[in-house]
Amino acid sequence: MALRSAPLLLLMLVAVALRESCFGASSHSLKYFYTSISDPSQGLPQFVIVGYVDGQVFVHYDSHTVVYKQRMQPRVSWMEKVEKDDPEYRDRNTRNFRATEEVFRVDLENLRNRYNQSEGE
């Protein structure tokens, strides 16, 4: 009886090992945090996006980055390879971030109108 179950046991061990090597070691996280402020003060941008991979900031965008003409900015060295492999990456994401900024701006304006608040109040 033990000899019959040996191939099944071996197959189960191989399946577990493969699952661990294929799925366990390659788990990563990608998060974006969007912040929009209805009435920013001096030096505080109205809109900010920060992207994280595995808890590390890898891109940043804000509405007041005049130096970079409101473009997404890489924050880690490995982004150079990403941009080399995909030359449109920064421009494409900058367009997406600007579009999201506009959506947030309109949403904040709608909230102000719904709650009868004007700017500066």
Side-chain angles (χ1 to χ4, degrees), residues 3 16 30 34 39 43 46 63 81 95 107 110 113 115:
L3 291 176
V16 169
L30 172 65
Y34 300 79
D39 192 21
Q46 185 170 2
S63 59
K81 181 175 180 350
R95 285 190 302 272
D107 287 348
N110 288 337
N113 291 334
Y115 292 98

Side-chain angles (χ1 to χ4, degrees), residues 58 77-89:
F58 78 104
S77 59
W78 54 262
M79 283 297 295
E80 293 173 11
K81 181 175 180 350
V82 170
E83 290 183 328
K84 185 178 179 183
D85 294 343
D86 182 1
E88 290 296 313
Y89 181 84

Side-chain angles (χ1 to χ4, degrees), residues 24-82:
S26 63
S27 179
H28 296 282
S29 67
L30 172 65
K31 297 176 185 176
Y32 287 94
F33 291 94
Y34 300 79
T35 304
S36 188
I37 300 171
S38 60
D39 192 21
S41 60
Q42 181 84 17
L44 190 61
Q46 185 170 2
F47 183 75
V48 175
I49 297 175
V50 181
Y52 293 84
V53 169
D54 296 336
Q56 179 184 27
V57 174
F58 78 104
V59 293
H60 177 266
Y61 170 89
D62 75 55
S63 59
H64 287 159
T65 309
V66 179
V67 174
Y68 299 112
K69 300 179 182 172
Q70 295 173 312
R71 292 187 73 212
M72 180 204 77
Q73 296 303 310
R75 296 292 192 207
V76 291
S77 59
W78 54 262
M79 283 297 295
E80 293 173 11
K81 181 175 180 350
V82 170

Side-chain angles (χ1 to χ4, degrees), residues 90-120:
R90 188 185 308 205
D91 290 336
R92 184 175 58 252
N93 281 285
T94 295
R95 285 190 302 272
N96 292 340
F97 291 170
R98 285 181 181 168
T100 303
E101 178 181 356
E102 180 62 17
V103 168
F104 272 64
R105 189 192 62 72
V106 169
D107 287 348
L108 282 174
E109 185 63 31
N110 288 337
L111 285 171
R112 262 195 221 114
N113 291 334
R114 286 191 180 123
Y115 292 98
N116 296 322
Q117 293 182 357
S118 62
E119 289 187 44

Side-chain angles (χ1 to χ4, degrees), residues 5-34:
S5 63
L8 182 59
L9 180 61
L10 181 61
L11 181 61
M12 287 176 41
L13 289 174
V14 170
V16 169
L18 284 175
R19 191 186 99 228
E20 290 300 316
S21 66
C22 291
F23 302 114
S26 63
S27 179
H28 296 282
S29 67
L30 172 65
K31 297 176 185 176
Y32 287 94
F33 291 94
Y34 300 79

